[in-house]
Amino acid sequence: MGAAVFFGCAGIAFGPALALFLLTVAAEPLRVIVLVAGAFFWLVSLLLASLIWFVSVHLSDREDAKLQYSLLIFGAAVSVLLQEAFRKADEGLATISEDGRSPISLRQMAYVSGLSFGIISGVFSVINILADSIGPGIVGIHGDSPYYFITSAFLTMALVLLHTFWGVIFFDACERRRYWCLGLVVASHLLTSGLTFLNPWYEASLVPIFILTLLTGLWAFLTAGGSFRNVLKCLSCKGGAGREGRATEGVTAATRGLFR
Amino acid sequence: MTELSAHLPQFQHGQLTENFPDNHLSNTQESMASALFNTDQNDTSERRRHENSERRRNDNPDSETNGQPQNNIQQVVEQDEEEDEELTLKYGAKHVIMLFVPVTLCMVVVVATIKSVSFYTRKDGQLIYTPFTEETETVGQRALNSILNAAIMISVIIVMTILLVVLYKYRCYKVIHGWLIISSLLLLFFFSFIYLGEVFKTYNVAMDYITVALIIWNFGVVGMICIHWKGPLRLQQAYLIMISALMALVFIKYLPEWTAWLILAVISVYDLVAVLCPKGPLRMLVETAQERNETLFPALIYSSTMIWLVNMAEEDPEAQRKASKNSTYDKQAPANQTQNEDPEADDGGFSQEWQQQRDNRIGPIESTPESRAAVQALPSNSQSSEDPEERGVKLGLGDFIFYSVLVGKASATASGDWNTTLACFVAILIGLCLTLLLLAIFKKALPALPISITFGLVFYFATDNLVQPFMDQLAFHQFYI
């Protein structure tokens, strides 16, 4: 227990995010700034959603457990909608600042913005849990699931990746004015959040969320201009820099496709 | 307090000199001089714009006779402008990151210490600057006490700042130097000794006095040399970050809660006033320093590039190259003076105030297309290519200290714990980014505290009171949003 769980869960939750950050964002100052700006937008959306939830809780009966539960679900739904609204605001900012002359393209900003939302959302969800996992304690001693930490870590990883994919799809949909795409992104975010309400029935929540992650990843890959041929080219180390030849995952192939 | 000042008067005809006249003399370590400097961040873009305008002017006579080349010229000019914009954006982003990294490092050190060493969260009395206690019976009494504490602290800071400005104005450099040396001695030896002792206590490390004496002696002496004299840039930056972190930890330990938040709020207002008002002490300081064309005191400013001290000019080969370039320019200037065209129309992109300032300083020397062409025909040495890299941004140590105090207090006392800390961290970084953006727009000394501290305080109270219960409930049920 203790340190092993902490490092393991931290690695699971933030491994992909850290790798994506170090490989694609850390080297470019402009992308780092876009990352921090995206995190700021997400925080503001969370602030507003918490405000709404807080007000609704204080206006209601504190003793009624069922009411509080449904208010929490309502708060979560409002938060999801606000997150997407602020993603739109982030996209608006990106479109304004991207005037064809900046060294960062709209696609790259879409990816970085999605990654920023994912990282900050994942961090806020799981960091206190990770901090608690170091200290002494027994998981689920009151009858809850003993797999709390590891499932939280996996959910966080899925959420980080999902946000990245949603960012790419969202910006592209806004650019091409495909509003059904936008609606689909919002709906899938609501679906993901809704599936987590089924916790601790992890078969019903984790498995569909991961399937959703894979599908969304594929969709984002195709939106970013990736195709089966790109992946083959990547794998056979033909065309492009050497580091692209090392990519074997579809996800990294998609992100590299953004930077080609 | 905080200032951003642009490196205005040394830009002459495409030559960039290394003398940094934008001096900002900060006050004591306690009043935390925070200055954000833009040393030539925009000079590269100015120079390129200058070259573009010059090219346009040279090509204009052709446009009347032959319309065709004008399109190409226009394209060239537009392309240059695009590259110029792109480069400006890239260098601007680079400078932002050059400040993000040290600010983040300082905050990481402070938060790591707060979380692990319990000494800095233990209540062991208060400073004499905050004599009123906060352990009162009523909330009203506590509020009153904290307001009084904050008032006393801020008046101490104001008095110290004015004292520093007066000393600087009347050229009492020895007193200022002595003051700075005593402060950095205190920080580097005494406070770091206490810090080391507490870290050893936390991790139960057995240590003897002889080893500690050796460690502290070496740390302190190297620190003094790096900060007040010469040293590798990275080492100097590391030492400045460390002393900022130590100072922030002292504040976090000895300032009671409400007092700390009030002081943060009041000091950012004071910073705004002191730097932007015409009679503000810090603004007067910067202007005096600029008039005298002096360098900054390195002990109180974090610079992302080399600080060129006055006595370095003799040994430095780059300075000699620069000196020779200046002499070439001076020979050409008298020749060009006779060919002065209409100065108003052909001002070379310099504003009237800048020209007046320059005239006051070096005499009425105008630039003409011929002189500009002659200067640009000079072989550009490597100095001009590495100028953009060497131009950096300066941030006062007071900024570091107060940012770290905010984040450290958030991590020490917040019930939301890591969420609050991270929210404050992001808020401060965004504030710093916005401040640097304003610096790029206004190109003068700007306070770096107000925006960041405002965002930080808003996010602290909002996250601690609104977001934390929400996230807590969500985590309890393992809901994800």
Side-chain angles (χ1 to χ4, degrees), chain A residues 28-30 32-33 36-37 39-40 42-44 46-47 49-51 53-54 69 72-73 75-77 79-80 83 97 100-104 120-121 123-129 131 147-149 151-153 155-156 159 163 189 192-194 196-200 202, chain B residues 78-79 81-83 85-87 89-98 100 115 415-431 433-434 455 458-481:
Chain A
E28 287 278 320
L30 208 52
V32 176
I33 295 173
V36 179
F40 180 73
W42 189 89
L43 278 176
V44 174
L46 182 67
L47 218 91
S50 318
L51 181 66
W53 175 81
F54 193 76
Y69 189 79
L72 193 64
I73 296 183
S79 164
V80 166
Q83 281 178 50
S97 53
R101 295 182 292 180
S102 56
I104 184 171
I120 193 76
S121 157
V123 163
F124 260 66
S125 305
V126 95
I127 193 92
N128 279 327
I129 299 170
Y147 303 116
Y148 184 78
F149 288 140
T151 50
S152 297
L155 273 173
T156 309
L159 207 63
H163 269 289
H189 194 169
T192 310
S193 190
T196 60
F197 297 159
L198 296 172
N199 282 331
Y202 294 125
Chain B
E78 274 163 19
Q79 204 177 19
E81 279 178 0
E82 278 177 31
E83 283 170 17
E85 289 267 355
E86 200 175 301
L87 277 160
L89 200 63
K90 268 192 172 153
Y91 286 129
K94 194 163 174 227
H95 290 147
V96 172
I97 299 302
M98 282 202 280
F100 270 13
K115 287 291 182 193
S415 52
D417 233 19
W418 288 101
N419 284 350
T420 318
T421 313
L422 282 161
C424 292
F425 169 69
V426 172
I428 287 179
L429 285 187
I430 285 291
C433 201
L434 284 173
F455 278 175
V458 165
F459 270 76
Y460 171 75
F461 288 110
T463 312
D464 204 31
N465 298 313
L466 299 174
V467 174
Q468 188 269 331
F470 184 46
M471 296 304 289
D472 209 30
Q473 281 294 301
L474 288 174
F476 179 70
H477 294 281
Q478 212 174 6
F479 291 171
Y480 277 70
I481 50 168

Side-chain angles (χ1 to χ4, degrees), chain A residues 195-248:
Chain A
L195 281 171
T196 60
F197 297 159
L198 296 172
N199 282 331
W201 186 19
Y202 294 125
E203 297 85 356
S205 67
L206 267 184
V207 175
I209 285 181
F210 269 91
I211 295 175
L212 192 65
T213 312
L214 283 169
L215 290 173
T216 322
L218 203 62
W219 185 12
F221 180 64
L222 293 171
T223 311
S227 65
F228 189 56
R229 265 197 313 170
N230 281 351
V231 178
L232 282 181
K233 243 182 10 169
C234 218
L235 288 172
S236 60
C237 302
K238 251 189 276 183
R243 89 182 164 138
E244 292 172 66
R246 286 202 301 272
T248 52

Side-chain angles (χ1 to χ4, degrees), chain B residues 254-301:
Chain B
Y254 289 110
L255 287 179
E257 242 192 275
W258 292 19
T259 311
W261 300 119
L262 268 174
I263 285 180
L264 279 171
V266 174
I267 212 165
S268 42
V269 171
Y270 167 67
D271 198 27
L272 195 66
V273 163
V275 173
L276 293 180
C277 285
K279 279 297 169 192
L282 292 174
R283 185 171 169 150
M284 279 172 26
L285 209 63
V286 173
E287 284 166 3
T288 318
Q290 276 180 343
E291 277 167 37
R292 295 185 195 168
N293 216 7
E294 278 169 357
T295 58
L296 294 149
F297 289 102
L300 292 166
I301 306 280

Side-chain angles (χ1 to χ4, degrees), chain B residues 27-67:
Chain B
N27 26 19
T28 67
Q29 86 215 6
E30 279 170 16
S31 32
M32 301 353 118
S34 14
L36 195 58
F37 279 94
N38 172 9
T39 59
D40 299 314
Q41 181 183 342
N42 297 295
D43 276 348
T44 327
S45 47
E46 275 178 20
R47 181 160 52 120
R48 289 179 203 275
R49 252 179 269 132
H50 183 201
E51 287 171 13
N52 293 338
S53 64
E54 194 266 324
R55 233 172 273 148
R56 238 176 279 139
R57 247 176 292 252
N58 279 344
D59 290 324
N60 269 340
D62 295 332
S63 66
E64 283 139 15
T65 55
N66 186 358

Side-chain angles (χ1 to χ4, degrees), chain B residues 8 22 41 67 86 140 181 205 231-232 280 357 360 385 432 460:
Chain B
L8 294 168
D22 38 2
Q41 181 183 342
E86 200 175 301
I181 286 181
V205 174
Q357 217 177 6
N360 292 340
S385 63
L432 189 61
Y460 171 75

